[in-house]
Amino acid sequence: MLKGVRKFFRTGLILYKQEFGQTRGGTFKKATIINLLGRVVAGLVSLVSVRLLITYLTNEGFGILTTITSMTSWLALTNLGFGVGLQNLLIDAVTKGDLGREKKLISTTQIVLGSVCLVMLTGWLVVFQSSMIPWVQLLNVSSPKYVNEVGQAVFWSGVIALILVYTSYVQAIYAANQKLHRFGIWQIFSQLCSLLGLVVVSISHASLGRAVLAIYGVPAGIMLLNSVWLGISHPDRYLPRISNFSLPELKQLLKFGGSFTLIGVTGILQYGTDNLIISNVLGSSYVTSYTVVIKLFNFFQSLMGAQLIPMWAALANAKSSGDWHWIRRQFGRVRNLTLAVNLVFFIGMILFGQLIIRLWIGSSVEVSLSLIVLVGFYALARAWADLHSILCNALDQAPISAILGVPIGVITVLIMYFSASSFGLNGMVLSEGLAMLLITGLVLPYIAYRTLNRLDSHV
């Protein structure tokens, strides 16, 4: 009997290695599965968090908290794009077995990001000590309770954003070694700890600042722990050393990172200003209605997007090997499946969205069918753009995307602000979706397919 059990597990291990081995396709599948599990956990934590936060903070408090975290996301731009800019460079070095360059890239990134974060943290402290920014007026806060808590919440949200800036290089290390499944396990753990923190602050009715620390500070702390663990477990490769600092590699990181910084500006303009516009123009309670709907679409798109980051790493690896046929086949499969399933979910939300929200949140938040339809349209346009953004990044076309992206982002924000002022929440969401589809949704596919055809023709 024991021999039979051993044979069963040995056979399973052999099949696992065959299916999810160290080949590009195998590591892509393994990373996608773990990433999907992580996104399921993160999505469920997010949905539970919304229910607990609305009950504990009320509609206005939840709207304020959401707007604060969106606003401080601007601090992420201080990473100079090094986190994602490092990824393609590091993948190339690891694929070619260039250990010396790998050490230089990682140490240079760590030293620059650490220096930037220290400078930014000092500036952040000065801003709050001098009370330079009227946060209460900017966020349109009316409740006396939150007037006294907003400043602390903004401060800690900014500190957390800077921690995430420093640890942004960690994902690139896992991606370069085709081990994103391990990074996914860390993320799952951080999300579960975040949920535990939320339960504690909701039971104790803690302040906005403590809520920020529990929900966002705990995962950021675990990512910082992850970076420390990498350095301790592989000190020869991942501990920063001044001797490994390289000006030539810094120039390369600035070249690629600058592109991703501009892309980050575009992303924040398109995805990070909506809550601030709604709060400033319409009021914090409108942020809650909008967030409840978009959380559901984001949860589903997050599940479908579980393959995007592993796909980026796999496509970049295929590019380094000149395997253009694999890139076309794999990307085509992912694109078609993602869009088809997103469309089915969109239809399902039109039919059952209001019922789902009522069961999830209760009667405290009213959401119209028109808002669900408009957010769904925006979500479809965003899914199309995100897919082709990943292909552009893997093909090293971030600089072109960045140059075009900033004016597109500015135009989008102006359209959104005008629409919110003139036509209310529905008008803003409609303009957001149309801008995404007609501008970004056309530019990114053109760049991606033109580049792929050019590279393939040179073989």
Side-chain angles (χ1 to χ4, degrees):
M1 181 175 178
L2 289 175
K3 288 183 178 180
V5 172
R6 284 199 300 269
K7 183 178 179 181
F8 172 79
F9 282 106
R10 190 182 300 116
T11 303
L13 181 61
I14 291 171
L15 291 173
Y16 174 83
K17 288 182 176 179
Q18 289 175 346
E19 181 67 15
F20 304 111
Q22 296 306 310
T23 64
R24 186 192 304 130
T27 54
F28 169 68
K29 292 176 183 176
K30 182 162 53 176
T32 298
I33 289 172
I34 297 297
N35 197 17
L36 176 61
L37 178 60
R39 288 174 182 242
V40 169
V41 173
L44 291 176
V45 168
S46 177
L47 296 180
V48 172
S49 299
V50 171
R51 176 61 188 263
L52 288 175
L53 285 169
I54 290 176
T55 302
Y56 143 53
L57 295 174
T58 70
N59 285 357
E60 183 184 6
F62 177 77
I64 294 169
L65 180 65
T66 303
T67 306
I68 287 172
T69 54
S70 296
M71 185 173 57
T72 52
S73 65
W74 280 89
L75 289 173
L77 297 177
T78 58
N79 72 4
L80 306 175
F82 273 29
V84 286
L86 172 66
Q87 183 161 304
N88 282 15
L89 294 171
L90 199 58
I91 287 173
D92 186 65
V94 172
T95 302
K96 295 176 179 177
D98 192 343
L99 183 59
R101 189 186 182 208
E102 178 187 351
K103 291 179 180 179
K104 290 178 181 179
L105 284 167
I106 293 172
S107 286
T108 302
T109 300
Q110 291 170 320
I111 291 168
V112 172
L113 286 180
S115 302
V116 168
C117 286
L118 285 175
V119 171
M120 288 300 302
L121 181 59
T122 303
W124 194 241
L125 286 168
V126 170
V127 167
F128 273 86
Q129 287 296 326
S130 59
S131 302
M132 294 169 59
I133 302 175
W135 301 110
V136 172
Q137 288 76 20
L138 181 63
L139 296 170
N140 199 12
V141 179
S142 59
S143 173
K145 174 187 176 182
Y146 298 123
V147 166
N148 299 322
E149 297 180 358
V150 162
Q152 185 187 48
V154 174
F155 173 75
W156 285 117
S157 184
V159 172
I160 292 165
L162 291 174
I163 293 174
L164 294 175
V165 164
Y166 175 73
T167 58
S168 60
Y169 71 89
V170 172
Q171 180 174 295
I173 291 177
Y174 287 102
N177 291 279
Q178 302 294 303
K179 293 180 179 179
L180 278 169
H181 56 285
R182 295 185 180 179
F183 183 70
I185 292 171
W186 277 92
Q187 288 185 310
I188 291 171
F189 177 64
S190 71
Q191 290 297 320
L192 292 175
C193 291
S194 173
L195 180 59
L196 179 61
L198 172 61
V199 171
V200 171
V201 296
S202 62
I203 291 174
S204 61
H205 292 280
S207 64
L208 272 176
R210 291 184 179 179
V212 167
L213 285 171
I215 302 164
Y216 305 106
V218 170
I222 291 173
M223 286 300 103
L224 185 59
L225 178 64
N226 190 355
S227 69
V228 173
W229 179 83
L230 281 172
I232 294 173
S233 58
H234 301 282
D236 57 321
R237 297 174 68 186
Y238 304 136
L239 272 183
R241 287 181 170 84
I242 297 295
S243 59
N244 285 331
F245 182 84
S246 169
L247 283 177
E249 297 302 347
L250 176 59
K251 291 178 182 178
Q252 287 295 308
L253 286 164
L254 286 171
K255 176 184 175 182
F256 282 87
S259 301
F260 284 109
T261 298
L262 291 178
I263 290 174
V265 172
T266 303
I268 290 177
L269 286 171
Q270 293 181 334
Y271 309 143
T273 57
D274 47 3
N275 289 324
L276 185 58
I277 290 172
I278 295 169
S279 179
N280 188 265
V281 176
L282 304 173
S284 299
S285 59
Y286 285 88
V287 176
T288 301
S289 300
Y290 173 72
T291 301
V292 164
V293 179
I294 208 162
K295 281 279 186 183
L296 283 175
F297 281 98
N298 284 348
F299 172 49
F300 181 77
Q301 285 197 326
S302 176
L303 301 184
M304 292 306 302
Q307 55 208 330
L308 293 184
I309 299 301
M311 184 174 69
W312 179 351
L315 292 176
N317 179 276
K319 175 185 175 294
S320 295
S321 305
D323 196 346
W324 312 115
H325 175 70
W326 190 89
I327 291 176
R328 292 181 186 277
R329 185 182 73 250
Q330 191 65 36
F331 180 76
R333 289 174 178 173
V334 172
R335 178 198 59 209
N336 296 340
L337 176 64
T338 301
L339 292 176
V341 178
N342 268 280
L343 183 59
V344 171
F345 180 76
F346 178 34
I347 296 171
M349 281 295 294
I350 293 174
L351 297 175
F352 307 108
Q354 288 178 303
L355 175 61
I356 293 171
I357 292 170
R358 196 174 301 114
L359 293 173
W360 169 35
I361 301 296
S363 58
S364 59
V365 179
E366 291 294 330
V367 174
S368 65
L369 179 59
S370 60
L371 181 60
I372 292 174
V373 172
L374 292 171
V375 171
F377 167 66
Y378 164 66
L380 280 175
R382 181 174 175 176
W384 171 262
D386 287 348
L387 280 166
H388 291 90
S389 175
I390 292 295
L391 182 56
C392 285
N393 293 345
L395 296 175
D396 292 330
Q397 293 306 298
I400 298 176
S401 302
I403 292 170
L404 296 173
V406 173
I408 289 173
V410 172
I411 292 170
T412 301
V413 169
L414 292 175
I415 292 172
M416 288 165 58
Y417 188 87
F418 171 78
S419 301
S421 302
S422 303
F423 307 109
L425 181 58
N426 285 354
M428 193 212 77
V429 179
L430 176 60
S431 67
E432 194 176 20
L434 287 173
M436 179 67 67
L437 181 63
L438 298 178
I439 304 176
T440 310
L442 294 177
V443 172
L444 292 178
Y446 172 75
I447 295 172
Y449 296 129
R450 186 193 65 172
T451 303
L452 189 55
N453 290 334
R454 175 174 54 82
L455 293 172
D456 198 2
S457 65
H458 288 170
V459 178

